[in-house]
Amino acid sequence: DTGVSQNPRHKITKRGQNVTFRCDPISEHNRLYWYRQTLGQGPEFLTYFQNEAQLEKSRLLSDRFSAERPKGSFSTLEIQRTEQGDSAMYLCASSLGGDVYGYTFGSGTRLTVV
Amino acid sequence: AQKITQTQPGMFVQEKEAVTLDCTYDTSDPSYGLFWYKQPSSGEMIFLIYQGSYDQQNATEGRYSLNFQKARKSANLVISASQLGDSAMYFCAMRLHTGTASKLTFGTGTRLQVTL
């Protein structure tokens, strides 16, 4: 297992279009997280799954954002009707649940809305 | 609510020297975990070290150690014998252990530049 995989690495889209990102976590990790990182800031929490259940959502996650994790494996994050303010790096992380092992992050998907 | 503060936007250190990156946190919860991550220009967040609020000893992991001062609410990262490959952004983060809290709250980061 080579870690957390995110696709695509880069996405440029026109304002108003819908985009979908995919995250493949480490296979034995039952917890999956999405974060958003804008320039000069630390990552901000968006949502959290334990297996297939979405247990926590940030208020940052407006109605235009939706995330799924069918069957508790890979996850998708969809943004509908994109806005320029959605331009950011979207990071996915997974974990087994023990903090001492940390959370394993992917390399992220950089979204640019033009 | 929890908050992480990193007051050093940028730091320089000479190769082979030690450097301390500052982190203070704010929470009223008694149980929490503190993390440090490294983010190179490639964008991936790399886990470095973890300290639990009830851990009696400061965490160490190779050249990384965490100077945990609970009363001061500080969790500084010490990197010994700096290497050129240590040049990156460094983020301090916290997770509360109460209830179903799962998210990491990050600081704004410190950019470390290692020079020859």
Side-chain angles (χ1 to χ4, degrees):
Chain A
D1 207 352
T2 55
V4 178
S5 176
Q6 290 189 247
N7 287 288
R9 289 296 311 275
H10 303 275
K11 179 71 177 177
I12 300 174
T13 191
K14 289 184 178 179
R15 191 175 53 185
Q17 297 294 304
N18 298 344
V19 294
T20 300
F21 311 140
R22 177 178 170 125
C23 171
D24 288 272
I26 292 174
S27 55
E28 58 265 30
H29 286 185
N30 61 343
R31 301 183 182 198
L32 187 145
Y33 312 81
W34 284 98
Y35 286 81
R36 181 172 69 186
Q37 186 178 21
T38 52
L39 210 58
Q41 299 296 317
E44 295 175 294
F45 171 78
L46 292 178
T47 191
Y48 157 59
F49 290 85
Q50 185 163 324
N51 300 311
E52 65 274 12
Q54 188 174 22
L55 297 185
E56 193 172 348
K57 286 173 63 172
S58 165
R59 280 171 288 181
L60 290 175
L61 217 63
S62 75
D63 291 345
R64 296 184 298 104
F65 288 70
S66 63
E68 294 183 339
R69 193 183 181 196
K71 302 177 184 178
S73 56
F74 71 92
S75 175
T76 58
L77 177 68
E78 181 183 16
I79 309 174
Q80 295 183 325
R81 304 181 304 283
T82 51
E83 302 172 357
Q84 287 189 321
D86 297 332
S87 295
M89 175 78 86
Y90 290 84
L91 294 163
C92 176
S94 68
S95 76
L96 268 175
D99 279 356
V100 69
Y101 303 111
Y103 296 53
T104 304
F105 281 79
S107 297
T109 294
R110 181 166 295 284
L111 173 66
T112 303
V113 182
V114 297
Chain B
Q2 62 269 33
K3 186 178 178 181
I4 296 284
T5 302
Q6 294 180 255
T7 57
Q8 306 156 313
M11 290 282 285
F12 286 89
V13 64
Q14 273 195 317
E15 196 180 19
K16 300 178 186 175
E17 296 295 309
V19 62
T20 298
L21 305 183
D22 294 342
C23 172
T24 57
Y25 59 92
D26 186 22
T27 181
S28 55
D29 283 43
S31 182
Y32 50 88
L34 296 157
F35 304 74
W36 277 92
Y37 280 84
K38 172 184 178 182
Q39 187 177 41
S41 55
S42 58
E44 185 176 351
M45 300 285 284
I46 301 168
F47 169 65
L48 297 178
I49 197 166
Y50 168 80
Q51 179 86 41
S53 59
Y54 291 119
D55 293 344
Q56 295 296 313
Q57 292 189 320
N58 286 346
T60 60
E61 196 68 52
R63 294 186 299 110
Y64 304 108
S65 60
L66 201 152
N67 184 2
F68 180 46
Q69 298 188 46
K70 196 169 182 177
R72 291 187 172 185
K73 294 189 174 179
S74 74
N76 298 339
L77 177 70
V78 181
I79 306 174
S80 62
S82 297
Q83 302 172 356
L84 294 177
D86 294 334
S87 296
M89 283 291 290
Y90 288 81
F91 290 96
C92 180
M94 175 169 64
R95 188 180 86 83
L96 300 182
H97 292 167
T98 53
T100 59
S102 59
K103 65 178 183 180
L104 289 175
T105 299
F106 286 85
T108 52
T110 295
R111 180 170 297 282
L112 178 67
Q113 186 68 46
V114 181
T115 61
L116 290 169

